[in-house]
Amino acid sequence: MDIYDLFFYLSLFAGFMMAFNLGANDVANSMASAVGAKAISIRQAVLIAGTLNFVGAVFLGSHVTATVSKGIINPAAIADPKIMMIGMFSALLAAGLWVLISTLTALPVSSTHSIVGSILGFGLVAGGPDVVNWLKMVGIVMSWIISPFFAAIIAFLIFTHIRKTILFKKDFIHQAQKWAPIWMGLTVLLIALSFLYKTPVGKGLHLSFLGSLCLAFAIAGVVWFSGRLAVNKLVGNTEQGAEAVEETFRKLQVGTSCYVALSQGANDVANAIGPVAAIYLITKEHVLLAKADIPIGLLVMGGLGIAIGISLLGHKVMATVGEKITVLTNTRGFAVDFGAATTVLAASNMGLPVSSTHAAVGAVVGVGLARGFSAVNFKILGKIVLYWVLTVPIAAFTSITIFSLLKWAFI
């Protein structure tokens, strides 16, 4: 077994560990608002997320092409393929370890930023400061502020609107019957746009911007019209009082949770398996490309890792985001889902590197602030923000340490 084979097998382990952590942390926090609002139980969240993430990763992620260096370093500036191979392995291992530590302490962090920090670390040591795209790094730092801030504002406005137009009205049942189909249509519009712009299958349709917009609005219109016809069943039993309103939004939350799980499997699996695919290419061809197509076998491994991760450790981060920052009901949870998803979709299409983790936490805080500062646990929030700020430097330092040791041992 030569050095290439050795690091390929080691990278399989590191890639599986990263996928495991992706499930335990990233996927878990996206399901947290539905769990916190009691729309679904932790067991149901694990089942939905585990199954749909695997399906998304294997069947919808089959055309995923991973951007190997995330645009942080220029791979062409590092000529020796062994250096690049050891560097990618070090980055994968370092990012996986940091996300695992964060998960064990029940705090949500961005796995994407962990990978970015790790690649930055070995890039600095292997090629010097000139190989680093510092402008890209500034954009990432800005995203720590942009994504939670905008998600918080959107969630705040949506929940305030639901309270004013439905919950605070005397005829709240009638108001719910009026507004529920509208919110259903808007939710489906968002999901359709996300599917068309964010998933490999949606992009594969090659629709123009106007074509995608028309298709999404047409689907949303059908859902709104169907909702109008079935409005009495949507709002539930009127004898339940205000609970009938919460029951309506509970149904909407189950739908958004399923979508989130499916799309995360299709997109985020590349975060874990992309570097493994890069090492696989170096092993076979002894060259590195800036982008790598991911073989189906590696996607299956990634999907399994995500499913096992959320099953074994997902409850820790779910409890923090869904229950410890603020108290969530179904209407609040719906505002959280809508705010986070809107932020990620809008920012991604503008080319801004936002994190779904940061958006989800920001939206939870926004909904909490709609009820006043006392409704938010700032002690927990402070810990989460501290971990966000530490993610890139700690991942970079860990990656540098692992890379330097392996380079000394093997080259």
Side-chain angles (χ1 to χ4, degrees):
M1 182 185 293
D2 61 15
I3 186 174
Y4 291 104
D5 291 331
L6 174 65
F7 273 92
F8 173 63
Y9 291 123
L10 287 174
S11 72
L12 289 179
F13 164 75
F16 184 81
M17 186 178 82
M18 190 62 195
F20 177 92
N21 290 315
L22 201 68
N25 200 302
D26 263 26
V27 178
N29 73 57
S30 66
M31 303 293 285
S33 63
V35 172
K38 306 289 188 291
I40 51 176
S41 67
I42 287 182
R43 184 175 294 180
Q44 288 169 326
V46 166
L47 186 66
I48 291 170
T51 306
L52 293 184
N53 262 275
F54 181 80
V55 170
V58 176
F59 296 103
L60 298 182
S62 59
H63 301 294
V64 168
T65 299
T67 305
V68 172
S69 75
K70 300 286 177 188
I72 297 302
I73 61 168
N74 176 16
I78 302 172
D80 188 343
K82 288 181 185 172
I83 294 285
M84 200 66 196
M85 179 178 67
I86 293 175
M88 294 308 295
F89 172 74
S90 304
L92 201 53
L93 194 59
L97 286 172
W98 171 243
V99 181
L100 179 62
I101 290 169
S102 304
T103 304
L104 292 175
T105 51
L107 292 172
V109 295
S110 166
S111 60
T112 305
H113 288 187
S114 301
I115 279 283
V116 163
S118 302
I119 291 174
L120 169 72
F122 99 79
L124 278 174
V125 173
D130 291 343
V131 304
V132 178
N133 183 345
W134 292 107
L135 194 60
K136 183 89 172 179
M137 283 306 302
V138 169
I140 288 170
V141 172
M142 288 300 294
S143 79
W144 293 338
I145 303 166
I146 293 169
S147 50
F149 183 70
F150 277 100
I153 289 177
I154 295 170
F156 178 94
L157 292 175
I158 289 172
F159 182 58
T160 302
H161 182 268
I162 291 171
R163 286 208 300 182
K164 281 187 177 176
T165 55
I166 301 176
L167 298 177
F168 286 177
K169 295 283 186 182
K170 285 183 180 177
D171 56 341
F172 54 84
I173 294 292
H174 174 72
Q175 289 296 316
Q177 289 171 330
K178 174 185 170 185
W179 282 100
I182 295 174
W183 282 115
M184 281 187 73
L186 286 172
T187 303
V188 170
L189 176 67
L190 190 67
I191 288 174
L193 287 173
S194 298
F195 184 83
L196 291 170
Y197 288 120
K198 294 282 289 175
T199 68
V201 172
K203 290 175 184 174
L205 296 176
H206 301 297
L207 293 174
S208 65
F209 174 75
L210 191 61
S212 301
L213 215 55
C214 289
L215 179 60
F217 269 101
I219 295 170
V222 170
V223 171
W224 169 79
F225 186 71
S226 305
R228 293 269 300 174
L229 294 178
V231 68
N232 290 329
K233 288 184 180 177
L234 280 176
V235 177
N237 186 357
T238 53
E239 292 178 0
Q240 292 177 286
E243 281 301 310
V245 178
E246 295 294 338
E247 177 68 17
T248 307
F249 283 90
R250 189 188 73 79
K251 291 170 185 168
L252 288 177
Q253 261 205 296
V254 173
T256 52
S257 299
C258 290
Y259 166 71
V260 167
L262 194 69
S263 63
Q264 273 196 325
N267 289 285
D268 293 359
V269 69
N271 282 345
I273 302 303
V276 183
I279 294 170
Y280 173 74
L281 278 179
I282 296 173
T283 303
K284 296 296 178 190
E285 309 290 340
H286 292 193
V287 293
L288 176 74
L289 302 175
K291 293 185 176 183
D293 290 329
I294 301 178
I296 188 76
L298 292 182
L299 288 173
V300 171
M301 185 184 80
L304 278 175
I306 291 173
I308 295 172
I310 192 170
S311 302
L312 296 183
L313 292 180
H315 62 279
K316 286 179 174 286
V317 173
M318 276 189 217
T320 300
V321 179
E323 297 171 3
K324 293 182 181 175
I325 299 175
T326 192
V327 177
L328 293 176
T329 59
N330 296 126
T331 45
R332 294 169 199 163
F334 172 78
V336 168
D337 285 345
F338 202 93
T342 307
T343 301
V344 171
L345 177 67
S348 298
N349 287 324
M350 287 191 286
L352 295 173
V354 297
S355 157
S356 57
T357 301
H358 297 180
V361 171
V364 171
V365 174
V367 163
L369 288 176
R371 295 182 298 124
F373 281 90
S374 60
V376 178
N377 185 337
F378 285 99
K379 191 177 175 184
I380 289 287
L381 185 62
K383 281 185 183 177
I384 292 171
V385 172
L386 178 65
Y387 268 57
W388 290 356
V389 174
L390 290 176
T391 291
V392 168
I394 286 185
F397 178 75
T398 310
S399 177
I400 288 171
T401 305
I402 296 171
F403 175 72
S404 300
L405 287 172
L406 291 174
K407 188 182 171 191
W408 171 76
F410 289 97
I411 296 179

